[in-house]
């Protein structure tokens, strides 16, 4: 009886072992052997890309760099002491990586301070229900005693605009959720983030007292997600406070409003905008061996929001970008063009670092031929989006056969990134690194964006993916002309 039960399990184990061996053999075949479909030059590229991945997975430094940044500095708001510490940290790790040149580039950045912890709750039928809340970046404070008023729920800026004078003396509650039928969560984010960015400016002119916004995440949890808001060109007399409440709080409030349309919400926050401060982009490079005057930039943003540690947004992008140059140095890859890593300051609250970098490049007449940005988290690599002329877009798409064995199947035309986009011109090929997006908005701008949410192997695979793309761009965007292998 005992033998009868264990015999099928033994067969299953043998079959499982054969399956694992088959997978391993296929991976080796896919990434290490040559094929008649590749040119001689592409076979060299295959071997070099394999070495790039081996280096990232066996000798990568990105994970420990990220641990250091997030654990010892944490959140890095533009203008904050932590941001200043991050600049010094960036200089230090670039020196450790042995780059040819390292310097700091001044940039004027916003200095918004959150102040004391925010408080919010609603009162219905005499019952007080706390709501998880956080102020939105750039928001003004409430009066010192807070605001306490009836609520109007809306689902779009158009609906809010239509309120007119009905908004006077009320708190406007924007509650449009992510469209979870969209496979790419960035598309869902783009479909509702306007209510966070422009919600207060839309109703302040009607005399609304404040706005509360459903957090920008597809998760239903009790973590509020911050993010920047804009007052634009409206007069200061129309500025009103803006805050985000957690998705769980938004669901609860919406249900209760249907039962009690006259319920009131309380909001208190002490955030304020201080004068702009001087900060810095941190820049390092490996000089090109043939065309040092031509630059390919790779980077992410050094600043982050303060609720978490800025791990996925954008600590992962920072360390992956530096890892690209570390991989080049480790493998003695001598680029034809100058490869430059930039830790941009102030992506979250206005792009001061991106503007400073683009302005300096224009003033000194630097020739940029390409750029790659990582600002979509540190999850499993999926591909790249390309912002370039038709010839170079087609060229980058042709590299899919070299990159697909590493999971990089999604290589297509699209945006690049907020920090490198000011470099856009017909002769510059800009690329955005695109990891799997499904978990990113669980952490984006929230207290959950911490080091423990980053998987070491996924991070290292991303570093290797970026290094492989930079390797190919350096080789085949030679002389700013698309030359096919």
């Amino acid at each position: 009886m005992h033998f009868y039960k264990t015999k099928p399990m033994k067969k299953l184990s043998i079959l499982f072992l054969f399956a694992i061996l088959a997978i391993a053999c296929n991976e080796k075949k896919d990434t290490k052997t040559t094929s008649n479909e590749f040119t001689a030059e592409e076979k060299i590229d295959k071997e070099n890309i394999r070495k790039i991945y081996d280096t990232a997975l066996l000798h990568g430094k990105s994970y420990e760099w990220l641990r250091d940044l997030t654990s010892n500095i944490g959140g890095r708001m533009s203008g904050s002491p932590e941001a200043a510490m991050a600049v010094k940290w960036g200089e230090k790790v670039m020196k450790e990586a042995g780059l040819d040149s390292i310097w700091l580039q001044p940039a004027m950045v916003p200095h918004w301070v959150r102040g004391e912890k925010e408080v919010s709750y609603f009162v219905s039928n005499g019952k007080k229900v706390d709501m998880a809340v956080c102020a939105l970046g750039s928001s003004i404070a409430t009066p010192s005693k807070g605001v306490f008023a009836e609520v109007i729920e809306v689902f779009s800026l158009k609906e809010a605009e239509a309120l007119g004078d009905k908004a006077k003396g009320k708190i406007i509650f924007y509650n449009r959720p992510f469209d979870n039928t969209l496979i790419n969560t960035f598309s869902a984010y783009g479909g509702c983030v306007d209510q966070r960015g422009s919600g207060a400016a839309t109703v302040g002119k009607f005399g609304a007292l404040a706005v509360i916004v459903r957090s920008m995440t597809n998760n239903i949890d009790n973590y509020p997600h911050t993010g920047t808001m804009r007052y634009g060109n409206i007069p200061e007399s129309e500025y009103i406070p803006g805050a985000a409440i957690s998705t769980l709080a938004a669901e609860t409030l919406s249900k209760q409003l249907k039962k009690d349309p006259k319920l009131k919400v309380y909001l208190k926050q002490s955030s304020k905008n201080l004068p702009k401060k001087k900060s810095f982009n941190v820049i390092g490079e490996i000089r090109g061996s043939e065309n040092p005057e031509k630059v390919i930039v790779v980077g992410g943003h050094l600043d982050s929001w303060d609720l978490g540690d800025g791990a996925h947004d954008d600590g992962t992008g920072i360390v992956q970008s530096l890892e690209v140059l570390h991989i080049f140095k480790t493998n003695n890859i001598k680029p034809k063009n100058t490869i430059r890593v930039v830790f941009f300051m102030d992506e979250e609250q206005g792009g001061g670092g991106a503007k400073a970098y683009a302005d300096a490049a224009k003033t000194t007449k630097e020739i940029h031929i390409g750029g790659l940005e990582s600002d979509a988290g540190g999850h499993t690599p999926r591909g790249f989006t390309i912002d370039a002329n038709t010839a170079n877009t087609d060229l980058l798409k042709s590299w899919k056969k070299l990159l697909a064995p590493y999971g990089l199947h999604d290589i297509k035309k699209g945006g690049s990134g907020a920090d490198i986009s000011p470099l856009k011109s017909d002769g510059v090929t800009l690329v955005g690194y695109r990891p799997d997006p499904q978990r990113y908005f669980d952490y984006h701008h929230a207290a959950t964006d911490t080091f423990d949410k980053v998987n070491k192997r996924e991070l290292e695979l991303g570093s290797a993916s970026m290094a492989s793309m930079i390797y190919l761009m350096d080789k085949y965007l030679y002389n700013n002309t698309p030359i096919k292998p």
Side-chain angles (χ1 to χ4, degrees), residues 77-80 107-112 274-280 345-346 351-353:
M77 293 269 289
S78 291
S80 70
M108 295 304 294
V109 302
H111 187 197
W112 177 79
L274 300 175
K276 283 191 172 185
K277 289 188 72 172
K278 183 179 180 180
S279 188
F280 301 91
M345 183 58 72
D346 185 41

Side-chain angles (χ1 to χ4, degrees), residues 42 384-404 408-414 429 431 469 472-473 477 482 484-485:
E42 287 173 333
F384 301 93
T385 50
I386 309 160
D387 186 3
N389 60 40
T390 300
N392 283 345
T393 299
D394 291 344
L395 174 63
L396 267 66
K397 286 181 178 178
S398 75
W399 300 337
K400 183 175 178 179
K401 62 182 177 180
L402 291 166
L403 300 173
L408 298 166
H409 299 282
D410 195 6
I411 302 174
K412 61 186 180 182
K413 194 166 184 64
T429 297
V431 181
M469 175 56 74
L472 293 168
M473 289 172 70
L477 292 177
K484 291 196 175 184

Side-chain angles (χ1 to χ4, degrees), residues 342-362:
V342 182
F343 294 175
F344 291 95
M345 183 58 72
D346 185 41
E347 187 273 344
E348 295 292 4
Q349 296 184 73
K355 184 178 185 302
Y357 184 83
D359 287 349
K362 184 177 180 180

Side-chain angles (χ1 to χ4, degrees), residues 6 31-32 80 132 134 197 209 297 302 337 350 368 372-373 425 434:
T6 56
T31 60
K32 291 214 173 192
S80 70
C134 65
L209 298 180
V297 64
L302 188 55
N337 308 284
H368 283 76
L372 170 61
E373 184 167 335
S425 75
R434 300 295 174 235

Side-chain angles (χ1 to χ4, degrees), residues 265-341:
V265 160
Y266 176 78
L267 173 66
K268 184 178 185 297
Q269 61 189 45
S270 54
S271 51
K272 56 184 174 181
N273 291 287
L274 300 175
K276 283 191 172 185
K277 289 188 72 172
K278 183 179 180 180
S279 188
F280 301 91
N281 295 326
V282 187
I283 304 175
E285 65 184 25
I286 299 174
R287 295 284 287 172
S289 59
E290 296 182 20
N291 304 297
E293 76 283 359
K294 290 181 167 61
V295 178
I296 298 175
V297 64
V298 57
H301 64 88
L302 188 55
D303 63 304
S304 78
W305 290 104
D306 57 325
L307 298 182
D309 297 331
H312 277 290
D313 188 19
D314 184 30
T316 54
I318 287 296
V319 298
Q320 287 173 327
S321 298
L322 182 56
E323 188 81 280
V324 170
L325 278 69
H326 172 251
I327 289 170
F328 271 54
K329 295 282 286 186
T330 301
N331 287 286
N332 200 29
I333 298 172
K334 299 187 183 301
K336 295 178 178 180
N337 308 284
T338 292
I339 309 299
R340 180 179 295 168
V341 59

